[in-house]
Amino acid sequence: ASFVESTGIPVGQSQAGKGSLPYDHPQSVGAIGSTGTTAANALATEADVIIGIGTRYSDFTTASRTAFNNPDVRFVNINVASIDSVKQGGVSVVADARETLEALAEALDGYRVSDEYRSRTAELAAHWESTVDAVYKIDDDSLGLNQNQVIGLANTLSDPRDVVVCAAGSMPGDLHKLWRTRDSKGYHVEYGFSCMGYEVAGGIGAKMACPDRDVFIMVGDGSYLMMATELVTAVQENVKVIVILVQNHGFASIGSLSESLGSQRFGTDYRYRGDSGRLDGDILPVDLAANAASLGADVIRANTAAEFADAVKVAKASDRTTVIHVETDPRIAAPDSESWWDVPVSQASTLESTQNAYETYAQWKKIQRPFLRPSGN
């Protein structure tokens, strides 16, 4: 915060770095990469110098190496792990982040970004915040909720020091771009290997680490089915967590990815196998709220924003683990990051949707860069 306040350099945050600045800090432009904000990704596209602080430059963070498109871009990588410090062909600084930033601030004494650049940073950040406001908004409380609105409600109804925990599915990416982190320890999203089932177990660990904070576990139905039984541990050990169980009767993440690659969400709904032999029958009668109750947790079913708000109040006042069950439409997506993730598409197909997806894929591949180390660097 001190370094960027004095220089005006904007900050884009990876999943692991989210919370390094509060969401409304003047230099914060939010999440970066495939699951990032339009603000961070626009600035990354133009930047001539990227200072990577502790980042591993993962596939999502770099938008599969398409995020940094200035032809003269250079990287300075501050990291205690030498293997990460040399990524992107950058200048390697193997050192403690805080010590390095203090030394760099001293070396850059007097350096400031231009007023025009500050204004552009603020304008892009404000535009993204208005986008978040729009998807958080609920016009008709009698209608069902979508995942963006559930995230918005959880975000605004939680206290600044409360912790959100998530791990897999579509929700981590949506949280990365939409969740407004107000406390440096308020965001715990394990996305390194997209570990389905981590949520409840990880939330218990977060609560044990910080007993004075409420822990909101955001989990989709697919990930819940992987390891919901850890609710028994929470009940047995009296470790109170608040689980927001989003039931959309399928795999929203893979469904959306499948559709974007021209594959029509095949097999991504919880359905019976129909007469055709495909998974196109009726929706399965799965009741995950009843399942959670059978494991000893208090369960509240919420179908509207008002019911959800009341449920959060009850859960925060309780000393017991509470599961808030809410059904959503998996086909309402979060705002576009105007970015990319390299998932290959069939080059030859009779489906027009797949042919169109391949054309899009080929266009992005054209700007993908290997970032080999420049000679003499």
Side-chain angles (χ1 to χ4, degrees):
S2 175
F3 177 74
V4 298
E5 285 165 6
S6 64
T7 61
I9 297 172
V11 179
Q13 300 167 8
S14 67
Q15 281 281 19
K18 191 171 170 76
S20 54
L21 291 178
Y23 83 95
D24 55 355
H25 189 283
Q27 271 67 58
S28 176
V29 289
I32 194 168
S34 298
T35 56
T37 72
T38 52
N41 286 335
L43 292 172
T45 295
E46 304 165 357
D48 57 355
V49 174
I50 306 294
I51 304 173
I53 306 170
T55 180
R56 292 161 290 187
Y57 289 109
S58 74
D59 191 42
F60 272 26
T61 300
T62 66
S64 299
R65 297 196 175 193
T66 62
F68 312 108
N69 284 311
N70 186 316
D72 299 318
V73 66
R74 293 298 183 94
F75 296 84
V76 178
N77 302 329
I78 303 165
N79 209 302
V80 291
S82 58
I83 193 172
D84 292 317
S85 71
V86 298
K87 289 179 178 177
Q88 306 293 103
V91 174
S92 171
V93 183
V94 180
D96 176 85
R98 181 179 57 203
E99 296 295 326
T100 304
L101 284 177
E102 289 177 352
L104 187 57
E106 184 177 344
L108 291 177
D109 184 34
Y111 172 80
R112 305 286 187 277
V113 302
S114 68
D115 291 341
E116 291 79 10
Y117 194 64
R118 281 182 185 269
S119 296
R120 175 160 169 72
T121 297
E123 180 182 346
L124 289 169
H127 176 74
W128 178 257
E129 288 307 312
S130 67
T131 299
V132 177
D133 287 337
V135 298
Y136 274 13
K137 186 178 180 182
I138 300 169
D139 293 316
D140 188 345
D141 192 34
S142 67
L143 299 175
L145 299 171
N146 61 58
Q147 186 163 286
N148 302 323
Q149 293 168 334
V150 171
I151 289 173
L153 285 166
N155 199 176
T156 54
L157 294 168
S158 62
D159 294 331
R161 293 186 71 256
D162 290 346
V163 182
V164 64
V165 175
C166 190
S170 62
M171 201 121 51
D174 293 353
L175 288 166
H176 190 210
K177 64 176 72 171
L178 297 178
W179 189 269
R180 289 165 165 166
T181 306
R182 296 156 287 175
D183 181 274
S184 62
K185 294 184 179 180
Y187 187 86
H188 180 79
V189 179
E190 194 290 310
Y191 212 15
F193 293 99
S194 199
C195 294
M196 296 180 73
Y198 172 86
E199 288 88 348
V200 175
I204 292 172
K207 182 65 176 182
M208 293 173 68
C210 293
D212 62 332
R213 299 171 184 249
D214 270 327
V215 174
F216 283 77
I217 298 169
M218 307 285 292
V219 60
D221 46 14
S223 206
Y224 175 86
L225 285 169
M226 290 288 183
M227 209 159 71
T229 47
E230 282 306 300
L231 284 173
V232 176
T233 303
V235 173
Q236 179 184 41
E237 299 297 334
N238 197 30
V239 179
K240 177 252 179 126
V241 291
I242 300 171
V243 181
I244 298 175
L245 172 53
V246 178
Q247 166 68 289
N248 52 44
H249 299 280
F251 301 105
S253 175
I254 298 303
S256 176
L257 180 62
S258 166
E259 189 171 55
S260 71
L261 302 180
S263 300
Q264 286 82 40
R265 295 178 179 259
F266 174 73
T268 58
D269 290 330
Y270 296 154
R271 292 182 178 276
Y272 286 105
R273 197 169 294 279
D275 295 336
S276 66
R278 294 172 176 260
L279 298 172
D280 56 4
D282 292 337
I283 294 288
L284 294 177
V286 176
D287 190 342
L288 297 185
N291 172 264
S294 76
L295 298 177
D298 292 343
V299 177
I300 305 173
R301 296 177 189 262
N303 297 313
T304 66
E307 291 175 354
F308 190 92
D310 288 342
V312 170
K313 292 176 185 176
V314 171
K316 285 187 68 66
S318 175
D319 60 358
R320 285 177 44 81
T321 286
T322 301
V323 174
I324 302 173
H325 179 277
V326 55
E327 297 205 18
T328 62
D329 184 346
R331 287 166 173 77
I332 299 178
D336 187 11
S337 292
E338 297 181 7
S339 188
W340 186 61
W341 185 34
D342 188 349
V343 181
V345 183
S346 299
Q347 186 175 10
S349 175
T350 58
L351 292 175
E352 183 179 357
S353 58
T354 306
Q355 294 168 1
N356 292 337
Y358 180 76
E359 289 181 11
T360 300
Y361 178 79
Q363 290 301 314
W364 278 105
K365 290 293 285 186
K366 289 178 181 179
I367 66 170
Q368 198 171 35
R369 301 178 60 172
F371 287 110
L372 299 176
R373 179 181 291 275
S375 60
N377 186 3

